[in-house]
Amino acid sequence: MRTDGMLKEGALKDQTIIVTGGGTGLGRAMGTYFLELGANLVITSRKIEVLEQTAKEMEAQTGGKVLAVQCDVRDYEQVENVLKVTEERFGQIHALLNNAAGNFISPTERLSNRAFDTVIDIVLKGTTNFTLALGKKWIANKQPGTVLNIVTTYAWTGSGYVVPSACAKAGVLAMTRSLAVEWAKYKIRMNAIAPGPFPTEGAWSRLLPGDLVKKFDPAKLVPVGRVGEHQELANLAAYLMSDYSAYVNGEVVTIDGGEWLQGAGEFSHLEKIPQEMWDMLEAQRGKKQ
């Protein structure tokens, strides 16, 4: 199994790419590879301390240039500010990776309307905010651009226990396909990636604490028998950001080892969790969604 970089050196040279949710996890992994390929990188999230530390580490690792900008993707004015400071630092913006997300694993009837709103607003509204703001700018300036959205396989299958996320990701996928047609005349490409399990440090333990992480090991649901390596996702993202994929538009590429084909609804197997255990999980989270 190859876990090294796929594209040749300089494949993204002098391209400026914005990555939402770029300070940690998969956003950081993809952004790091963009830097290794010669891109200028802008990373955003709500936690500026995390962003600034990540930016330093990325620059030290790759020798590239990273701009950290605090942004709540739900706020359109903050999104516009990211574009403004990016242009001040790097000039043109060439590509956008909509990666910021939020999720609750829970029976839907246990979620408050606020929990539902939080996921919808971050995933769907945040993605539309960045896409619309940057798309308007590209079109006005007659500049080509590339947008890559991170969705999920349950965007088209649906899945129990992650209903707000499923609704939001389905909306992102619909926007991807719709704008791929509408904005192609402006030389703006829109694509999406639907990753399967690519665990990041602490992510699964936050969603499923304690022994449940082992009991519901995502690797057991993947036909190839393992979870994904971050570099595998980064390779695909870099390809879709690069000119090598210039004829790919409106596509969603699944990278999940065959998981969704084996059992649609990534979290539907949580039907096996008894009500008493859901009570315990809520208590461990410290507050009820």
Side-chain angles (χ1 to χ4, degrees):
M1 182 181 70
R2 295 289 296 270
T3 56
D4 54 338
M6 180 178 75
L7 297 185
K8 65 182 181 182
E9 185 178 346
L12 295 174
K13 183 174 174 55
D14 297 329
Q15 299 289 297
T16 296
I17 301 174
I18 297 174
V19 179
T20 69
T24 59
L26 299 180
R28 175 172 179 162
M30 290 182 281
T32 299
Y33 190 44
F34 298 162
L35 285 167
E36 292 173 355
L37 294 172
N40 300 316
L41 189 69
V42 180
I43 55 175
T44 77
S45 77
R46 286 174 291 172
K47 298 179 179 178
I48 188 61
E49 298 84 3
V50 173
L51 287 175
E52 290 175 343
Q53 181 61 34
T54 296
K56 291 178 183 177
E57 293 171 357
M58 282 178 149
E59 289 184 337
Q61 179 180 342
T62 66
K65 298 176 181 177
V66 185
L67 175 64
V69 187
Q70 187 174 28
C71 178
D72 185 334
V73 296
R74 297 171 291 184
D75 186 330
Y76 194 80
E77 290 186 358
Q78 291 188 40
V79 170
E80 289 186 311
N81 179 64
V82 172
L83 305 187
K84 178 177 177 290
V85 298
T86 298
E87 289 180 325
E88 290 172 353
R89 171 76 180 273
F90 294 122
Q92 286 186 330
I93 303 167
H94 301 91
L96 166 67
L97 173 57
N98 283 308
N99 172 73
N103 201 359
F104 295 118
I105 294 182
S106 172
T108 306
E109 70 273 15
R110 290 175 176 252
L111 292 173
S112 70
N113 65 301
R114 295 182 301 278
F116 223 104
D117 287 347
T118 296
V119 176
I120 296 288
D121 286 351
I122 294 173
V123 176
L124 181 54
K125 186 177 178 181
T127 299
T128 58
N129 280 345
F130 257 99
T131 302
L132 185 62
L134 189 50
K136 284 176 176 287
K137 186 177 290 290
W138 282 336
I139 292 167
N141 295 336
K142 294 185 166 76
Q143 181 193 334
T146 301
V147 177
L148 181 60
N149 297 318
I150 302 299
V151 294
T152 62
T153 54
Y154 59 72
W156 57 84
T157 66
S159 177
Y161 304 98
V162 285
V163 171
S165 176
C167 292
K169 293 292 191 180
V172 172
L173 182 55
M175 183 190 70
T176 303
R177 289 169 167 161
S178 301
L179 288 180
V181 175
E182 184 180 341
W183 284 359
K185 60 180 175 287
Y186 301 121
K187 298 183 179 179
I188 297 173
R189 289 192 302 123
M190 306 280 303
N191 289 296
I193 297 175
F198 283 84
T200 58
E201 185 177 353
W204 281 89
S205 62
R206 286 194 298 272
L207 291 172
L208 291 171
D211 292 338
L212 287 179
V213 175
K214 296 179 181 178
K215 184 174 182 179
F216 293 97
D217 181 0
K220 295 177 181 178
L221 302 177
V222 181
V224 300
R226 66 174 179 87
V227 296
E229 296 287 342
H230 289 194
Q231 186 62 49
E232 293 176 301
L233 179 60
N235 283 340
L236 178 57
Y239 165 71
L240 291 171
M241 284 293 195
S242 74
D243 289 340
Y244 292 109
S245 63
Y247 201 50
V248 181
N249 186 40
E251 188 57 68
V252 53
V253 182
T254 301
I255 178 169
D256 74 345
E259 179 198 37
W260 88 269
L261 293 171
Q262 177 163 285
E266 183 175 355
F267 290 92
S268 292
H269 63 293
L270 297 185
E271 183 69 26
K272 298 175 184 177
I273 294 181
Q275 293 298 316
E276 295 77 12
M277 192 167 290
W278 286 118
D279 292 337
M280 181 189 71
L281 292 175
E282 286 186 4
Q284 287 181 356
R285 282 196 289 262
K287 63 179 180 179
K288 193 172 182 178
Q289 278 83 36

